[in-house]
Amino acid sequence: MSQPANHLLGKLNPNHTTHPFPDVVLNPEVQHVPLDPAKSTLRPPPPQLAADSAPRATIRVSATSFRDGRRCAFTVLSALRRARHPDRLRISVVDQALDGEDRCLATYCELARAEFAAATSQSECPYRDQIVVDEQDARKARGPVIPRHYAQMLVRDDDEFCLGVDVHSVFTTDWDVYLI
């Protein structure tokens, strides 16, 4: 009988509570450097932005949700709440749910009304004009690839950056600034 692909993880970390390689430091300055020293100058190029567009660059955050409207709503809320420039975000969600289940947008609007009450004048559903949702019937779902395709179709030509996330993601403070 063959061992599972993660068979080393149990040997390196029997408790599965910490990273199996705690001494690994992730630093963008040294990541993606070829192992061959002769090719060390071959690195991915930095993002190219016109000098006047960097201060207003938009980020399209794309997610697909299969019967997980509540978690999806918290992810959207987290993205907007923790961004330094939430006005520069564009959110795209493909929301697959059954009748009567939580929907991402409706649940987000409930949460956002309380969360952003003092911070914005948008009382009905803060940042609603920046969110595009494709609601689908979960009974017609055929795996994760097709909704990801639909989510990608929601990306527009004027979106300068695009980030695909899981609907159970939690964003860090000022994530948008660090990303760009």
Side-chain angles (χ1 to χ4, degrees):
M1 178 161 61
S2 65
Q3 294 181 347
N6 65 349
H7 70 281
L8 288 177
L9 185 59
K11 291 178 182 173
L12 295 172
N13 181 9
N15 297 323
H16 294 278
T17 58
T18 60
H19 190 280
F21 306 103
D23 297 331
V24 174
V25 176
L26 299 179
N27 180 344
E29 298 286 322
V30 296
Q31 286 178 277
H32 308 294
V33 176
L35 295 175
D36 182 353
K39 297 179 181 178
S40 65
T41 59
L42 299 177
R43 304 270 319 271
Q48 299 294 314
L49 285 174
D52 64 338
S53 71
R56 57 180 163 63
T58 61
I59 302 172
R60 170 73 55 181
V61 178
S62 177
T64 60
S65 172
F66 179 74
R67 303 184 66 194
D68 215 351
R70 184 151 294 278
R71 278 185 169 175
C72 177
F74 278 109
T75 296
V76 172
L77 183 68
S78 170
L80 289 163
R81 184 70 179 110
R82 293 188 173 173
R84 185 180 301 175
H85 305 287
D87 54 306
R88 297 182 195 162
L89 301 183
R90 307 296 176 261
I91 311 288
S92 297
V93 176
V94 175
D95 186 15
Q96 298 175 318
L98 298 174
D99 292 338
E101 291 183 333
D102 289 335
R103 285 292 190 169
C104 185
L105 183 61
T107 307
Y108 161 77
C109 288
E110 289 174 21
L111 297 169
R113 274 191 287 276
E115 186 73 24
F116 293 111
T120 179
S121 62
Q122 303 176 34
S123 59
E124 188 59 35
C125 185
Y127 302 105
R128 171 61 183 99
D129 59 331
Q130 295 168 223
I131 303 170
V132 177
V133 178
D134 178 1
E135 290 187 351
Q136 299 181 359
D137 185 344
R139 291 176 294 216
K140 296 178 182 175
R142 298 293 177 261
V145 176
I146 294 171
R148 287 182 186 144
H149 166 73
Y150 288 132
Q152 188 172 357
M153 301 285 286
L154 297 173
V155 174
R156 297 188 305 221
D157 289 340
D158 60 340
D159 295 328
E160 291 169 287
F161 293 94
C162 186
L163 173 67
V165 299
D166 292 327
V167 295
H168 49 82
S169 299
V170 176
F171 288 82
T172 60
T173 302
D174 294 338
W175 68 270
D176 54 329
V177 174
Y178 294 118
L179 186 66
I180 296 177

